[in-house]
Amino acid sequence: MTSDPLLALRPWHAPEVTSWRRLPMNAVDRRAGAVRLDGDWRFQLLPAPDAPLGEVWSSSYVPGVWTLQDTDDLPRYLNVRMPFAEFPPDVPADNPTGVYERDVEVPAAWAGRRIVLQVGAAESVLLVHVDGRPAGISKDSHLAAEFDLTELVRPGERTVLRLTVVKWSDASHIEDQDQWWHGGITRPVLLYATDPLHLADVTVRARRDGDLRVDCRVRDAAGALPGGWYVSGELDGHPLTQDAEFDRANAEDERVSAFLGEARLRTTVPDVRTWNAETPELYGLTVRLHRADGTVADTSRHRVGFRDVEISGRDLLVNGERVFIRGVNRHDFHPLTGRTVSHAVLRADLVLLKRFGFNAIRTAHYPNDPALYDLADELGFYVVDEADIESHDHAHEIADDPRYLAAFVDRAARMVLRDKNHPCVIVWSLGNESDYGAHHDAAAGWVRRHDPTRPVQYEGAARLGWADPDVASDIACPMYAPLQECLAHAMSGTQTKPLIQCEYSHAMGNSNGTLADHWAAIEATPGLQGGFIWEFWDHGILQRVNDGRPAGRGGAGLYGNGVAAPGYRWAYGGDFGETDHDGAFIADGVVFPDRTPKPVLYEHRELAAPVRIASFRHEGVVLSNHQHFRGLDWLAGEWELSLADGPTLTALAELPDLRPGETAAVPLPFTLPEDGGEAWLTLRVTTAGDEPWAPRGTVVCLPQVRLRAASPVVRTPAANRPVDVDEDGLLVHPLLTAAPALSLWRAPTDNDELGGMAGRWRDWGLDRPTRKVVSVRRDPGRVTVVADLLCAGGTVRHEQVVTAVEEGLLVEECAELPETLYDVARVGSVFETVPGLTLWEWFGQGPWESYPDRAAGAPVGHHALPVDELFTPYLRPQESGGRHGVRRFTLSAPDATGLAVRLDRPRQVSVTRHRAADLAAVTHHDELVPRPGCVVHIDAAHRGLGTASCGPDTFASYLVPAGVHRWSWTLRVL
Ligand code: GAL
Ligand code: MG
């Protein structure tokens, strides 16, 4: 038995114990003047919390997780399942425990002051000792814990601070979020001092009418408050007044004792500049606590945003406006440091989100780093702030296990107490995937009483009934609900709450099909208001390939453009030797682990476009402002006219002065030339000046309209030129190393795999068909080949007619799929080229990757990219690099030789250096070996991507049906 009272309590196995001697959470920012204890601490990793300390210390960097700092306790990824078998609240005996120690010099100037330790976050149980004496306990891995050390330290002297962090506890069962398991101290540690008379909390309420109310909670560490104290405040230099009415009521209230100090400051700001995500106007508030003689005992600084949030009927309103929620779920994540994120890293995340049209963040699934909220206030995001509660694996048991009641309420309450003053926070969330029990109602009750200014949501409660008034969710916030179901609800006449999906459009691998269909429905349907894409990050951890160790902080710079440097890779579940794991399900974000945008972000940017255009009776275009609060003055525009058979013309665009919701007809900026074929007009919208999140000239959106359709191409046969095929009827061509063949398969995407399609395709043998020639007929200048593709699931007859035409070869193809092959990946041609063709130039959608159901953000035009930049390096290799709506292309060597292809109509095309089978054969991007030549797919039909790895598949209209498919293309030598 240990003699240490904290260890003797075994708090890691006591859900009722949420803390001991922890100070109440508050919203007073103590960073200024604090001593930062970041850096290397002495460190020991024990096998269990009560194991004896060893003689030898190593070191560990704080803030940081030890799982990424060269210990033998490595990261582990499991989604729902707990990483141990014990039932709540039990934990395994094998329980890594980090002991962090360091000497701290307490400033002599702090004599007589109240001295407080703040530990930013520790997972999952924190025990604090000062010079061997117990100082406190805390749980809740994603919120700070403060302890009053005044009695335990001596200013001017050296003190040994020990933080013991136990990895597995009863609390782990309610921190079962879908992410890596780590251990450590993940946010900064501070030591600060205040006067014994201090501001214990400050609550700011700032309304859009300019009304400001600041409630101050004053305490004296010595006990009863001294007489005569008062508070003062100023907002951007304008004084606030102490609310005399409030003081009088308190003075007359016999329940208010001499220990309870409360004061209220007020002002009304005339012509207030309100806060919203588009124009996040902030004011600076300083609150001072004075002693009777007027001297300042304490100061607290805040940034204030004046705004209202309310639910009116089935609309969530910000400042009276039904704003669309273009949200993303975001974890605190970094590929080198795990859950530790710096201000700079957070800023980069949010800047990127702004640039791609997001205006909302759900802090999945716990209160994020405090800096996130400062940045969201500043840059403009609506935040759904989520409590650190997810009991996924044992949700049903825990939701009604009274031993966990306190933890639920504690976690929700501490989040609210910390974040209540942020204008960005518009909704409180009670947690994630924890079933629905009385604990949730208890937490909701506390939150609603404490903060009546914001709605509460909880998916687990909303699940019981989107319109049910009695459940603890003011918002119908399902996850992955099929669009049809949302539409049906909105049109049922029974909807009573805003419908904003807390998670939708799962971004695993090559995904996010049908996002445009979702947004078309949301924008057109009252009652639908948006949602939060799952999720921001691919949580790949940078790992050395040779020894399997995480690169940790030393890996800075060893990645770029979405890929790890040679010798490294992005690790996902299973890569650290775990036997039980959930694989690449951890890589489901809209950015790569190094924050490189995935193609879906361009799609999202366009769907969120603040300016839209539509063609107007061939005379002009109608331009509209799709924002909620802003005019168009912050934007600049340039017209681009792309002609299929001509140059791209540009002209400066004068954007009309439109208020939100307004439209204006503007004349066509160009006279359309008679020739040039298909014509597209794009409005290239950029920032007119520097925005806090984008320098001047940053692309905001690229709305586009078609001005003229393509006219049919007439081809002249050249019968005197022979067509060369081998005895199997395969085309022989100097630029091709593999002749055009029928292709029905793609390297399964994560959606294909988890949605069951890939398995079906393998069962049908589409990945390994046998080609059997039926007939080869040679006519002058023409060869007709009929072949059967024999697959286990059915036989596909394929006819290929190659005709010599003036410009080269015309390839006309027809494939007939039997009814048994009702949903295949693609129907099209695949061929391979000689090495050396390095540049792909095309007229079609681009420049980034697009697929039939993710093609709203890739404008039609002339695009060019090196072949090696066409491929998207999804962590688990899969179908990638496709471009939708391609009309024609050239593939050329640096000396301009190569080939040119013209398609009968816009088609899905991909040019990569990998066969589908190459991609399907490996598990990580670094294992791919590019082929010397190009692999070119031209698809008559290509299956949409959907989101079936978690949620709905693509729509029927994006499937490849059975039956007859016809397509044709010409091949010309450059
Ligand atoms: C949701 C869950 C998320 C994540 C996602 C799948 O059910 O809330 O945490 O697991 O599915 O990636
Ligand atoms: Mg979960």
Side-chain angles (χ1 to χ4, degrees):
M1 260 322 266
T2 170
S3 59
D4 181 284
L6 295 191
L7 292 174
L9 196 61
R10 300 176 61 79
W12 54 89
H13 191 211
E16 304 85 346
V17 178
T18 56
S19 69
W20 177 71
R21 287 188 64 89
R22 186 175 67 193
L23 294 171
M25 181 59 91
N26 61 79
V28 181
D29 185 351
R30 297 296 184 183
R31 280 173 295 188
V35 173
R36 293 182 169 268
L37 301 179
D38 296 356
D40 287 318
W41 288 50
R42 295 191 290 279
F43 181 72
Q44 290 197 26
L45 187 62
L46 306 180
D50 36 16
L53 261 183
E55 296 293 312
V56 188
W57 292 85
S58 62
S59 82
S60 190
Y61 191 84
V62 174
V65 289
W66 70 64
T67 30
L68 295 175
Q69 291 192 44
D70 234 15
T71 66
D72 289 329
D73 185 30
L74 291 168
R76 178 157 186 199
Y77 170 54
L78 277 168
N79 171 10
V80 177
R81 288 171 297 160
M82 288 296 288
F84 47 82
E86 283 74 8
F87 209 71
D90 296 351
V91 289
D94 198 355
N95 190 357
T97 299
V99 181
Y100 295 80
E101 230 186 60
R102 68 173 278 168
D103 299 347
V104 180
E105 186 83 52
V106 180
W110 287 3
R113 290 173 70 77
R114 167 181 167 264
I115 298 168
V116 178
L117 170 73
Q118 184 189 84
V119 180
E123 52 190 273
S124 69
V125 181
L126 170 70
L127 315 182
V128 183
H129 291 88
V130 175
D131 294 326
R133 287 184 291 165
I137 298 175
S138 178
K139 291 179 192 170
D140 191 350
S141 298
H142 301 282
L143 281 176
E146 292 193 334
F147 305 94
D148 188 336
L149 303 190
T150 317
E151 300 294 315
L152 296 171
V153 297
R154 286 167 307 281
E157 288 182 26
R158 194 168 277 267
T159 279
V160 178
L161 190 60
R162 175 183 294 176
L163 305 180
T164 304
V165 180
V166 186
K167 183 169 177 180
W168 304 126
S169 71
D170 53 85
S172 308
H173 292 284
I174 55 170
E175 294 180 0
D176 181 21
Q177 291 98 351
D178 180 4
Q179 57 176 341
W180 292 99
W181 288 100
H182 285 298
I185 298 173
T186 56
R187 293 184 192 150
V189 180
L190 310 175
L191 198 64
Y192 67 84
T194 72
D195 196 274
L197 178 69
H198 63 279
L199 287 165
D201 201 4
V202 173
T203 303
V204 178
R205 292 213 178 135
R207 301 176 49 99
R208 85 170 133 138
D209 60 7
D211 183 60
L212 175 66
R213 194 182 99 180
V214 182
D215 285 315
C216 307
R217 179 174 287 243
V218 177
R219 292 289 181 271
D220 195 316
L225 288 158
W229 65 268
Y230 65 97
V231 292
S232 70
E234 60 181 65
L235 187 76
D236 282 353
H238 299 287
L240 275 58
T241 44
Q242 189 164 329
D243 186 334
E245 195 50 48
F246 181 83
D247 295 342
R248 196 164 25 249
N250 267 342
E252 283 165 11
D253 188 339
E254 57 199 24
R255 296 168 307 168
V256 177
S257 75
F259 291 88
L260 208 62
E262 285 185 4
R264 176 170 288 175
L265 297 166
R266 278 190 180 280
T267 195
T268 300
V269 181
D271 301 323
V272 70
R273 301 184 312 274
T274 53
W275 185 97
N276 61 70
E278 291 170 17
T279 53
E281 296 282 355
L282 294 172
Y283 290 74
L285 168 72
T286 306
V287 176
R288 294 194 179 86
L289 168 63
H290 303 262
R291 303 181 189 91
D293 64 3
T295 52
V296 175
D298 201 359
T299 305
S300 180
R301 294 201 162 76
H302 304 263
R303 286 186 311 178
V304 177
F306 289 83
R307 61 115 188 81
D308 290 344
V309 180
E310 77 202 278
I311 290 180
S312 166
R314 52 184 185 167
D315 297 329
L316 173 70
L317 306 179
V318 174
N319 297 341
E321 284 294 318
R322 174 179 173 260
V323 293
F324 287 123
I325 300 296
R326 303 181 187 277
V328 73
N329 282 277
R330 186 191 161 284
H331 274 284
D332 280 344
F333 170 79
H334 191 275
L336 305 181
T337 56
R339 279 192 261 290
T340 299
V341 287
S342 65
H343 187 273
V345 158
L346 283 161
R347 187 164 213 290
D349 290 2
L350 268 55
V351 158
L352 182 124
L353 285 170
K354 265 318 246 202
R355 289 190 191 175
F356 284 97
F358 289 87
N359 69 358
I361 295 170
R362 173 172 175 240
T363 66
H365 297 300
Y366 42 80
N368 283 185
D369 189 286
L372 178 115
Y373 304 79
D374 292 336
L375 286 159
D377 286 345
E378 192 178 307
L379 297 170
F381 285 95
Y382 303 120
V383 171
V384 171
D385 202 4
E386 189 151 283
D388 185 11
I389 304 170
E390 176 164 343
S391 55
H392 206 158
D393 200 8
H394 298 294
H396 189 60
E397 301 90 297
I398 290 177
D400 281 309
D401 182 338
R403 292 173 295 182
Y404 277 96
L405 166 63
F408 275 56
V409 179
D410 189 57
R411 285 162 186 253
R414 286 184 2 105
M415 168 183 74
V416 173
L417 289 167
R418 186 191 74 163
D419 296 333
K420 59 187 179 244
N421 293 340
H422 287 283
C424 65
V425 175
I426 60 162
V427 176
W428 301 116
S429 162
L430 303 178
N432 188 57
E433 299 187 317
S434 304
D435 207 300
Y436 180 34
H439 304 351
H440 291 104
D441 286 343
W446 191 95
V447 171
R448 289 189 168 127
R449 173 69 178 252
H450 192 84
D451 178 21
T453 71
R454 295 175 176 94
V456 168
Q457 76 172 50
Y458 175 52
E459 183 269 338
R463 184 184 290 236
L464 293 192
W466 292 355
D468 189 337
D470 298 326
V471 299
S473 191
D474 301 326
I475 296 175
C477 50
M479 46 172 75
Y480 314 107
L483 181 57
Q484 282 311 325
E485 225 172 276
C486 298
L487 282 166
H489 181 63
M491 295 194 273
S492 65
T494 60
Q495 184 180 6
T496 56
K497 305 177 183 183
L499 204 171
I500 302 170
Q501 294 219 50
C502 72
E503 294 177 28
Y504 82 111
S505 199
H506 196 247
M508 183 177 185
N510 192 357
S511 186
N512 305 99
T514 74
L515 202 54
D517 307 77
H518 275 76
W519 274 97
I522 291 165
E523 293 191 352
T525 313
L528 302 189
Q529 231 183 304
F532 296 81
I533 289 180
W534 185 268
E535 67 175 309
F536 182 61
W537 285 111
D538 262 2
H539 302 223
I541 290 178
L542 191 70
Q543 180 186 39
R544 284 196 295 267
V545 176
N546 61 3
D547 62 2
R549 309 286 307 182
R553 282 156 41 90
L558 289 169
Y559 46 75
N561 295 326
V563 293
Y568 291 82
R569 68 174 179 179
W570 300 127
Y572 54 73
D575 290 343
F576 292 108
E578 318 111 282
T579 42
D580 256 357
H581 60 82
D582 286 307
F585 207 62
I586 190 76
D588 55 359
V590 293
V591 297
F592 285 99
D594 65 351
R595 207 186 295 101
T596 297
K598 290 189 181 173
V600 56
L601 284 185
Y602 297 93
E603 178 90 349
H604 188 272
R605 185 175 74 183
E606 210 51 49
L607 296 176
V611 181
R612 317 267 171 101
I613 56 175
S615 61
F616 171 57
R617 285 196 262 130
H618 300 291
E619 291 153 27
V621 286
V622 173
L623 204 139
S624 50
N625 178 354
H626 274 250
Q627 300 166 101
H628 296 293
F629 301 100
R630 256 183 142 176
L632 299 186
D633 49 338
W634 66 285
L635 298 169
E638 190 184 44
W639 295 109
E640 267 177 25
L641 179 67
S642 304
L643 297 166
D645 302 307
T648 299
L649 311 173
T650 59
L652 207 69
E654 282 293 325
L655 298 183
D657 182 20
L658 297 180
R659 299 307 311 154
E662 289 182 351
T663 58
V666 294
L668 263 191
F670 306 96
T671 354
L672 199 56
E674 291 288 307
D675 49 5
E678 189 181 349
W680 287 81
L681 180 69
T682 311
L683 180 61
R684 189 182 178 77
V685 181
T686 55
T687 48
D690 290 343
E691 290 288 317
W693 46 271
R696 172 167 182 253
T698 304
V699 173
V700 173
C701 56
L702 302 164
Q704 190 174 51
V705 281
R706 192 177 71 177
L707 297 182
R708 186 169 59 208
S711 32
V713 185
V714 188
R715 293 193 175 94
T716 326
N720 50 349
R721 269 201 288 119
V723 173
D724 191 5
V725 297
D726 65 14
E727 62 276 20
D728 292 326
L730 294 170
L731 183 70
V732 177
H733 189 281
L735 289 175
L736 306 189
T737 56
L742 178 66
S743 169
L744 303 173
W745 188 66
R746 68 184 179 199
T749 63
D750 293 313
N751 290 327
D752 295 340
E753 285 292 357
L754 295 169
M757 291 75 85
R760 214 157 51 221
W761 299 336
R762 278 189 290 263
D763 291 347
W764 289 345
L766 300 186
D767 53 337
R768 44 178 201 289
T770 311
R771 180 173 177 274
K772 196 172 131 240
V773 183
V774 177
S775 64
V776 178
R777 183 175 144 193
R778 295 161 204 266
D779 297 311
R782 162 171 303 180
V783 175
T784 305
V785 182
V786 177
D788 278 342
L789 214 59
L790 309 175
C791 310
T795 296
V796 180
R797 167 101 0 141
H798 176 219
E799 186 190 74
Q800 191 178 58
V801 184
V802 184
T803 311
V805 290
E806 237 168 41
E807 59 177 310
L809 296 173
L810 168 65
V811 186
E812 293 166 293
E813 317 205 42
C814 172
E816 188 175 351
L817 273 66
E819 286 303 316
T820 49
L821 302 180
Y822 52 85
D823 173 16
V824 301
R826 57 160 41 115
V827 175
S829 322
V830 60
F831 60 82
E832 291 177 21
T833 74
V834 293
L837 305 182
T838 50
L839 179 67
W840 195 52
E841 293 173 272
W842 74 106
F843 184 73
Q845 292 191 243
W848 31 80
E849 182 191 272
S850 53
Y851 282 84
D853 61 351
R854 203 189 66 215
V860 178
H862 293 280
H863 303 287
L865 277 174
V867 168
D868 287 334
E869 288 174 28
L870 290 166
F871 185 74
T872 311
Y874 296 110
L875 267 57
R876 192 190 67 79
Q878 53 196 280
E879 162 63 32
S880 146
R883 300 295 189 282
H884 193 61
V886 175
R887 281 86 164 149
R888 63 183 165 82
F889 63 85
T890 64
L891 195 48
S892 61
D895 65 0
T897 59
L899 53 86
V901 170
R902 193 180 268 273
L903 308 165
D904 54 346
R905 57 188 182 86
R907 301 282 185 190
Q908 181 78 19
V909 172
S910 74
V911 179
T912 69
R913 293 179 62 204
H914 309 288
R915 291 181 188 161
D918 300 341
L919 298 170
V922 298
T923 59
H924 291 73
H925 180 74
D926 65 299
E927 298 160 49
L928 280 175
V929 183
R931 292 190 173 266
C934 299
V935 179
V936 180
H937 278 275
I938 296 170
D939 292 329
H942 192 104
R943 190 187 200 280
L945 300 167
T947 60
S949 54
C950 179
D953 193 3
T954 193
F955 300 147
S957 53
Y958 300 114
L959 298 181
V960 177
V964 176
H965 295 262
R966 286 178 204 283
W967 67 107
S968 69
W969 47 288
T970 57
L971 177 65
R972 177 166 63 90
V973 176
L974 290 177

